[in-house]
């Protein structure tokens, strides 16, 4: 199956700093990628849909100026958490559909801890 | 509105069979997915159903009834490694956006 990678897998940062998370589709081109956030013992929450070459579509309640998404190529989308705060500490997961809508492939996730 | 329901938690015994149900009400339907998620890890794809009926894949099977807005995931010959959360998701009207259930935590006991 298709492979999606994320980097870094874990990051600890200080409050007020910014963190960039990369999501790559390794063996296929992804015109659309999704960014999710998952708090402990809760289900996935879609944050935004990232479209190659255009602006991301954010879900209600997600601050687009705080969570900057760039999808500059067909294999790379980045999520930048700006001015991070402890409440932003979470598990961030990206995903992409392959050549069809029958399977959505997930990256391994990035554990963000803001101190 | 859009709604997907599945039990919060289930317990089963190693070697047994368990059925995890999922009911959905969405504005459109382009398929239903089941994912497995171990704690601290990203979800992994298990199955996709778009037509009514049963799809079997090894120890796991998934069933869909579009008229009833209902699906189930059947796990046979349970193993301890099957302890995980199982997520039901529907591809609705949107071209690629999934609507997620809250997940069912499955606990396997020896």
């Amino acid at each position: 199956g298709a492979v999606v990678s994320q980097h870094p897998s874990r990051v600890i940062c200080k409050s007020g700093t910014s963190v960039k998370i990369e999501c790559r589709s390794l063996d296929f081109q992804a015109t659309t990628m999704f960014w999710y956030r998952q708090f402990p013992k809760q289900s996935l929450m879609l944050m935004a849909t990232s479209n190659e070459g255009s602006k991301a579509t954010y879900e209600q309640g997600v601050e687009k100026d705080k969570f900057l998404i760039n999808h500059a190529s067909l294999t790379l989308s980045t999520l930048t958490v700006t001015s991070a705060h402890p409440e932003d500490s979470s598990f961030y997961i990206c995903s992409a559909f392959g050549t069809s809508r029958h399977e959505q492939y997930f990256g391994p996730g990035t554990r963000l801890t803001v101190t | 509105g859009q709604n997907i329901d599945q039990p919060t938690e289930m317990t089963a015994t190693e070697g047994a069979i368990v059925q995890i149900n999922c009911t959905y009400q969405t504005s459109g339907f382009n398929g239903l997915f089941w994912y497995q998620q171990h704690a601290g890890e990203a979800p992994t794809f298990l199955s996709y159903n778009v037509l009514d009926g049963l799809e079997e894949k090894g120890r796991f099977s998934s069933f869909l009834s579009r008229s009833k807005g209902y699906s189930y995931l059947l796990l046979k010959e349970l193993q301890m490694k099957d302890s995980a959360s199982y997520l039901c998701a529907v591809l609705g009207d949107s071209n690629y956006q999934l609507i997620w259930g809250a997940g069912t935590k499955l606990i396997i006991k020896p």
Side-chain angles (χ1 to χ4, degrees):
Chain A
V3 177
V4 176
S5 71
Q6 271 184 253
H7 177 80
S9 58
R10 289 180 179 271
V11 57
I12 300 173
C13 69
K14 293 186 176 180
S15 186
T17 61
S18 295
V19 174
K20 180 185 282 188
I21 302 170
E22 292 186 349
C23 176
R24 293 181 185 272
S25 55
L26 296 184
D27 51 358
F28 67 102
Q29 294 182 331
T31 55
T32 302
M33 290 184 172
F34 301 93
W35 286 97
Y36 292 89
R37 181 167 53 182
Q38 187 174 35
F39 293 105
K41 299 184 180 181
Q42 295 186 24
S43 189
L44 297 170
M45 290 175 52
L46 180 65
M47 298 177 66
T49 302
S50 171
N51 301 296
E52 187 270 334
S54 64
K55 291 183 179 180
T57 304
Y58 290 82
E59 295 301 299
Q60 192 172 8
V62 178
E63 300 174 58
K64 62 181 180 180
D65 294 330
K66 180 173 180 63
F67 299 98
L68 302 178
I69 292 173
N70 184 284
H71 194 156
S73 77
L74 288 171
T75 59
L76 173 64
S77 175
T78 61
L79 168 69
T80 302
V81 183
T82 63
S83 186
H85 292 286
E87 57 264 33
D88 298 324
S89 298
S90 187
F91 192 45
Y92 291 85
I93 309 170
C94 71
S95 72
F97 278 96
T99 54
S100 75
R101 298 187 299 177
H102 295 185
E103 291 190 27
Q104 188 177 80
Y105 300 99
F106 286 85
T110 297
R111 176 78 58 192
L112 171 62
T113 302
V114 184
T115 60
Chain B
Q2 320 250 54
N3 195 47
I4 297 182
D5 288 316
Q6 48 182 134
T8 304
E9 187 174 297
M10 299 182 70
T11 303
T13 305
E14 189 177 16
I17 299 173
V18 71
Q19 177 175 311
I20 303 174
N21 296 324
C22 171
T23 58
Y24 64 89
Q25 289 179 307
T26 57
S27 57
F29 183 84
N30 286 290
L32 185 144
F33 297 78
W34 283 97
Y35 286 86
Q36 180 191 61
Q37 186 179 26
H38 286 100
E41 299 179 12
T44 55
F45 171 82
L46 289 178
S47 67
Y48 169 77
N49 294 67
V50 68
L51 300 176
D52 287 353
L54 186 68
E55 295 276 347
E56 297 186 74
K57 193 185 292 184
R59 294 190 297 115
F60 293 3
S61 302
S62 57
F63 171 83
L64 175 68
S65 169
R66 294 187 61 171
S67 62
K68 295 181 179 179
Y70 167 70
S71 172
Y72 67 72
L73 180 70
L74 190 72
L75 292 76
K76 304 176 183 176
E77 300 170 17
L78 287 170
Q79 301 175 10
M80 297 303 293
K81 66 179 183 179
D82 297 330
S83 292
S85 286
Y86 291 84
L87 307 172
C88 172
V90 170
L91 190 61
D93 276 339
S94 169
N95 201 26
Y96 284 96
Q97 194 178 104
L98 289 174
I99 304 158
W100 292 88
T104 299
K105 182 179 180 181
L106 178 63
I107 300 169
I108 309 297
K109 295 184 176 181

